[in-house]
Amino acid sequence: ATWNERIEDEKALASSPEEKESICHLYTASLKDYFSVDLWTNYLSFVAMFLPDQMKSVSENGIKACATDCAESIRVWAVILDWSMKSQSQDETESYFKRMFSYPSQFLDEAYKQYEQWHEQIQTPCDPALIPIIDASKEEYKKREILESELAASLEVDHITTAFRHFSEYVDFEVNEFKRAKENGTNRAASLFE
């Protein structure tokens, strides 16, 4: 919360391009200090609005940092997709959708509806090759759904011992998944620690 508050205070004062660039440095420093989907979402929104020439590289960093978060990554993707649909080629936007669909998430159905709506707007058919990718991601999410909900529930009631146990179970699961996948796997356990 401290970083968000400090950055918001600085944003209120920033008007020149140099001052806006300094806001990016604050976001970068804060994200080195700790992982936060809120910070990434705010950072991406800021860059999209004030420094759009940096959006591609910041988006890539945001994707690397947040894409494996099954519950929260949709917020990062939403900012990236909104920017891409407004300012990038259809091929680039399609690529962002495909990448998003390749990660397990509890929001895949909602994201696919957005994908369909976008295709209606641009009057092109949806890519049918995405369906098996989405189905595979849904299957991966199902493996994590109980772990996600147990952890969220224990955090909501602020029961730290139970939350720690659920967190440890989730980390063990992800470590085993990573070992099983070998080189092709995504190290989701690392993102849990963030």
Side-chain angles (χ1 to χ4, degrees):
T2 305
W3 274 111
N4 270 329
E5 291 167 5
R6 178 175 176 204
I7 292 169
E8 288 303 314
D9 289 344
E10 293 293 326
K11 281 170 43 177
L13 302 172
S15 58
S16 72
E18 295 81 19
E19 291 169 331
K20 290 177 181 168
E21 186 68 40
S22 72
I23 300 298
C24 288
H25 295 299
L26 283 175
Y27 276 116
T28 303
S30 67
L31 291 164
K32 285 180 184 173
D33 190 32
Y34 89 122
F35 170 80
S36 165
V37 172
D38 283 337
L39 274 172
W40 272 110
T41 303
N42 293 340
Y43 183 23
L44 287 160
S45 296
F46 179 80
V47 171
M49 184 176 294
F50 296 109
L51 302 163
D53 58 314
Q54 296 180 24
M55 189 60 179
K56 279 187 184 183
S57 64
V58 175
S59 292
E60 288 305 315
N61 292 333
I63 291 167
K64 287 177 192 169
C66 301
T68 59
D69 188 320
C70 295
E72 299 290 329
S73 65
I74 192 68
R75 294 171 40 220
V76 168
W77 285 112
V79 175
I80 293 168
L81 288 165
D82 181 60
W83 160 77
S84 185
M85 287 185 277
K86 291 176 181 173
S87 65
Q88 301 302 297
S89 71
Q90 290 177 3
D91 288 342
E92 285 195 56
T93 302
E94 185 79 19
S95 174
Y96 283 122
F97 271 111
K98 287 180 181 178
R99 289 172 67 193
M100 178 181 62
F101 292 137
S102 70
Y103 289 95
S105 170
Q106 67 186 40
F107 299 103
L108 288 169
D109 290 331
E110 291 89 344
Y112 190 74
K113 287 176 187 168
Q114 180 186 13
Y115 176 73
E116 289 177 316
Q117 290 169 350
W118 175 65
H119 272 278
E120 286 175 18
Q121 290 173 354
I122 62 171
Q123 299 178 341
T124 61
C126 295
D127 182 356
L130 279 179
I131 300 302
I133 294 168
I134 294 168
D135 289 344
S137 294
K138 284 180 180 180
E139 285 301 312
E140 285 299 311
Y141 179 70
K142 282 182 187 175
K143 295 178 189 177
R144 293 160 177 84
E145 187 172 23
I146 291 172
L147 296 164
E148 285 279 336
S149 61
E150 286 176 343
L151 180 58
S154 59
L155 289 171
E156 279 180 26
V157 296
D158 200 26
H159 196 274
I160 195 70
T161 306
T162 305
F164 182 74
R165 182 174 51 83
H166 290 305
F167 176 75
S168 296
E169 291 168 358
Y170 201 169
V171 169
D172 289 344
F173 169 80
E174 291 296 2
V175 167
N176 289 330
E177 286 293 301
F178 183 66
K179 287 177 183 175
R180 188 173 21 257
K182 305 242 189 258
E183 291 120 31
N184 296 332
T186 302
N187 191 351
R188 288 186 177 86
S191 70
L192 285 175
F193 280 109
E194 296 292 333

